[in-house]
Amino acid sequence: MSPVPPVLAMEQVTQAYSHPRTALFRAPGTFTVLDCIDFHVHAGEAVGLVGESGAGKTTLTRILTGMEKPQSGRVLFEGADIWQAGPAERARFRRSVQMVLQNPRSSLDPRMKIGTALLEPMRSLRIDGNHLDRLTEVLGQVGLDTSALERFPHEFSGGQLQRIAIARALMPNPRVLVADEPVSALDVSIQAQVLNLLKDLVRDLGLSLVFIAHDLSVVAYTTHRASVIAGGRIVETGPPVELFTRPKAPQTQNLVSAVLTVNSGLSGNAL
Ligand SMILES: Nc1ncnc2c1ncn2[C@@H]1O[C@H](COP(=O)(O)OP(=O)(O)OP(=O)(O)O)[C@@H](O)[C@H]1O
Ligand SMILES: [Mg+2]
């Protein structure tokens, strides 16, 4: 019997971008943003990806969610290459892997009522039907009620808006949520609420979570396993507690000392 493949994975992914051309007769140089990356998440697992600004985290999520095609390497959904998939498989992948972005104020259209915004993925993924029951269900899952449906984004706080963005990602009943810095635009006082919500969703719905952050403590709070990315390479992977207490790579050590510096600056009030 073959073991169950990860629900979502990338194998040996490399991505390079060109520098802007600086001279007319010289070919533009390239720089490697991701270098032979292996990364995976199993069903029901929460995996973290942590690294400094510019390390390649967002590029990795763009490739993992199929928004960008890697120059080399493969992206696998339930063991099958998404770039080799037929239309039906591709549609199932697009429904099953949903993203939550950093700033809900820029990811939700200010002129669109919440009800319309929540139906947007159903429209773009061509999932037919009357989705009223589903709207009620997902709003309940993120701790809001149906009175939100007729309101506009400006009527909500940042934390509530991030709940709405999470509800929108849940609408098509995904198997994987990919959250790129989902709390770093939020007030520190409400960050923990959104982190708890993500943890609850993983536990209660059996979702897989890929959680991106630059702060190791936030990743440690939310995930079962984490990878540290630096300069486009995964430099270390392990249970977050291990990374915290026995960091091996120098880049992991830097992330740990950054957390400790911030925490002492906040006089014990940090997460
Ligand atoms: N489309 C692109 N064209 C050229 N360079 C790019 C492109 N996208 C990203 N880069 C570069 O790739 C590197 C990694 O960027 P990326 O956005 O993946 O980092 P990040 O880890 O998400 O950083 P942050 O924590 O600031 O969000 C950066 O040097 C960035 O300038
Ligand atoms: Mg980023």
Side-chain angles (χ1 to χ4, degrees):
M1 214 176 75
S2 60
V4 180
V7 58
L8 187 61
M10 59 168 66
E11 285 178 353
Q12 296 290 300
V13 162
T14 293
Q15 191 76 331
Y17 295 121
S18 340
H19 286 297
R21 186 185 281 271
T22 50
L24 188 55
F25 297 108
R26 200 180 317 135
T30 61
F31 67 105
T32 304
V33 178
L34 296 178
D35 192 2
C36 283
I37 298 273
D38 288 320
F39 186 82
H40 70 271
V41 61
H42 283 284
E45 188 186 27
V47 175
L49 182 73
V50 56
E52 288 177 350
S53 187
K57 305 184 295 296
T58 295
T59 308
L60 188 150
T61 62
R62 292 177 55 79
I63 291 174
L64 197 61
T65 52
M67 286 193 282
E68 197 172 310
K69 189 174 181 180
Q71 275 143 4
S72 66
R74 304 197 302 157
V75 179
L76 306 171
F77 175 64
E78 295 173 342
D81 189 329
I82 63 164
W83 293 100
Q84 307 283 332
E89 275 175 273
R90 178 107 186 124
R92 214 168 73 73
F93 166 73
R94 295 216 304 130
R95 272 205 299 275
S96 303
V97 179
Q98 293 295 316
M99 282 209 75
V100 177
L101 301 176
Q102 180 172 359
N103 190 342
R105 288 211 191 274
S106 50
S107 61
L108 289 161
D109 184 338
R111 292 157 306 180
M112 205 183 260
K113 281 185 185 168
I114 301 307
T116 315
L118 290 178
L119 288 173
E120 192 56 28
M122 309 307 252
R123 200 185 58 78
S124 66
L125 294 165
R126 300 204 177 90
I127 303 173
D128 296 334
N130 171 341
H131 301 296
L132 203 55
D133 290 346
R134 184 71 188 143
L135 285 169
T136 311
E137 186 177 39
V138 296
L139 283 171
Q141 284 166 347
V142 302
L144 295 170
D145 64 61
T146 48
S147 66
L149 294 172
E150 290 298 315
R151 292 160 69 193
F152 287 93
H154 72 264
E155 301 176 57
F156 295 91
S157 70
Q160 287 173 323
L161 279 185
Q162 195 59 307
R163 285 173 191 276
I164 291 165
I166 293 169
R168 183 179 55 179
L170 292 175
M171 275 299 286
N173 202 11
R175 296 198 61 196
V176 185
L177 273 191
V178 179
D180 189 1
E181 307 253 12
V183 299
S184 38
L186 303 180
D187 214 77
V188 174
S189 61
I190 50 174
Q191 287 187 359
Q193 293 175 18
V194 174
L195 296 177
N196 283 328
L197 170 63
L198 288 169
K199 278 176 82 160
D200 291 348
L201 291 172
V202 169
R203 191 194 54 209
D204 300 340
L205 305 180
L207 271 179
S208 303
L209 176 69
V210 177
F211 187 98
I212 315 307
H214 55 262
D215 182 335
L216 187 56
S217 64
V218 171
V219 168
Y221 186 72
T222 334
T223 65
H224 304 119
R225 177 166 65 80
S227 291
V228 176
I229 183 170
R233 283 170 173 263
I234 304 267
V235 296
E236 191 167 354
T237 297
V241 178
E242 282 286 311
L243 297 179
F244 243 117
T245 49
R246 277 184 290 278
K248 293 193 187 73
Q251 296 92 339
T252 315
Q253 288 163 8
N254 286 343
L255 291 172
V256 172
S257 50
V259 169
L260 296 178
T261 314
V262 171
N263 279 7
S264 55
L266 291 171
S267 60
N269 281 331
L271 284 169

